[in-house]
Amino acid sequence: TWTRLSQVAVKGAEYNSRERQPHPKCLEGTRVDLLNLIHGLLDDQEKNKIIWLHGTAGVGKSAVAFTVAERMRGLKVTEETNVEKRLAGTFFFSRKHTKRCTAGYFFATLVYQLASNFPSIRKDVNRTIRDNPALLDPDKPLCDQMEALFLQPLRNLRLRLRGCPPVSFVVDALDECTSEPELTDLILSLARALREPDLPVTHILLTSRLESHICKAFQDEEVRPLVCEIPVKTSGEAVAAIISLDGADVDNDIYIFLRHSFKELGRRYPNFLQPSRDQLERLAIRAGRRFLVASTMMKFIDDGDNDPHDRLQLMLELTCEMLPGTEVYKLYDCILSTCADPKRAYLHLSIVAALADPLPISQLSQLLGSGLGRDVETVLMQLRSVMDIPTDSAFPVNIHHSSVRDYVADPSK
């Protein structure tokens, strides 16, 4: 039974899975106020809560989710144990993978992690699945899965966790779940679970874009009382500060990230002339408070094949008179314009972004046929700043961020 559960659980959905490498993570010294707020909420031992962190594409939601999960994974439930950690489970949704874009595997994945972290409940989990094997079917109603694979195991931990710090779950990118009704059902299910009186204190961090169906679900009368929403106003010493993913303080965080990244680049290229403070500030402003733009800029500048100084100059020439929210698309435009054949590069990028499951270069070549497929590798290598091209040709090619899919699907392109 445990082996069967292990096979059904989606390993790629775990926060530190190999499938998600390189893992986005907050650089030390950035997102300080935001992370302190979240950590404080996760330490609250009074009542169960849902922490909803939302923001536009590329502002760093996944990096925050990973950083929080990593911290909670490093905290023990008690000093006497080496196994049981405060991170009870994670699920990072992704439209790029068929098992991560649905809620059908959600509770099976969480209970596998939960029972791995708390071996004392494994026998009960096995018995539950043995009595009802259909619980592992992704088409099984979420309410049934939630009761058997989430609520019941947590109830069994109540006595074990009495007097201990709260456990937490981290769920990233709700908007990457492709079925809106299914996602609404999931949010309602989690809220109903946390309203149960006989659970240990449990918190769930959820991240998403601010989409209408998600907002509507969080406004439901069963959900709203449990939710701590970020951005949120927090009062300090007679000062009200807004803590969010794209507040004014993010410009400085991005500046720190860029300075660190260029120093790393300089270690590998000793002759590289470091950008001035003014140039770093221009790049930080141009990022539009989106870490995605800053990190993509660095991947473009440091691609291993081109002169990083020439690439830096190209980034500095990008106009800063961009409409808010267009920074990512304008950057992608610029990257495509540097390709030998921009239209061909756009076509290949569109195909990689559109695939339900990613393919390696050899299969992409077969898919495109002898004409378009003959130079797939050559074309895609020019797009390494926006996609991951493994050194092993047997592994699939994948876009770095879901905004690439939005970009190629934009009818104005």
Side-chain angles (χ1 to χ4, degrees), residues 18-38:
R18 291 175 62 189
E19 185 175 283
R20 297 187 57 256
Q21 289 179 327
H23 301 124
K25 181 181 179 180
C26 298
L27 185 67
E28 188 174 350
T30 65
R31 303 294 201 197
V32 175
D33 291 340
L34 175 62
L35 290 171
N36 285 342
L37 172 64
I38 294 173

Side-chain angles (χ1 to χ4, degrees), residues 215-260:
C215 295
K216 186 177 179 181
F218 277 105
Q219 290 302 315
D220 185 277
E221 60 182 12
E222 283 192 87
V223 181
R224 194 168 59 246
L226 292 162
V227 176
C228 297
E229 185 177 354
I230 305 173
V232 63
K233 287 188 176 180
T234 57
S235 296
E237 294 293 325
V239 178
I242 295 178
I243 296 179
S244 70
L245 282 158
D246 56 1
D249 60 320
V250 177
D251 286 336
N252 186 59
D253 285 352
I254 289 178
Y255 176 89
I256 293 171
F257 166 77
L258 290 169
R259 185 180 62 191
H260 170 82

Side-chain angles (χ1 to χ4, degrees), residues 50 143 146 151 185 187-196 199 220 222-223 226:
I50 290 173
C143 58
M146 179 199 71
L151 271 178
D185 191 11
I187 294 171
L188 292 174
S189 295
L190 290 174
R192 289 180 190 129
L194 293 193
R195 291 164 67 94
E196 288 279 327
L199 297 185
D220 185 277
E222 283 192 87
V223 181
L226 292 162

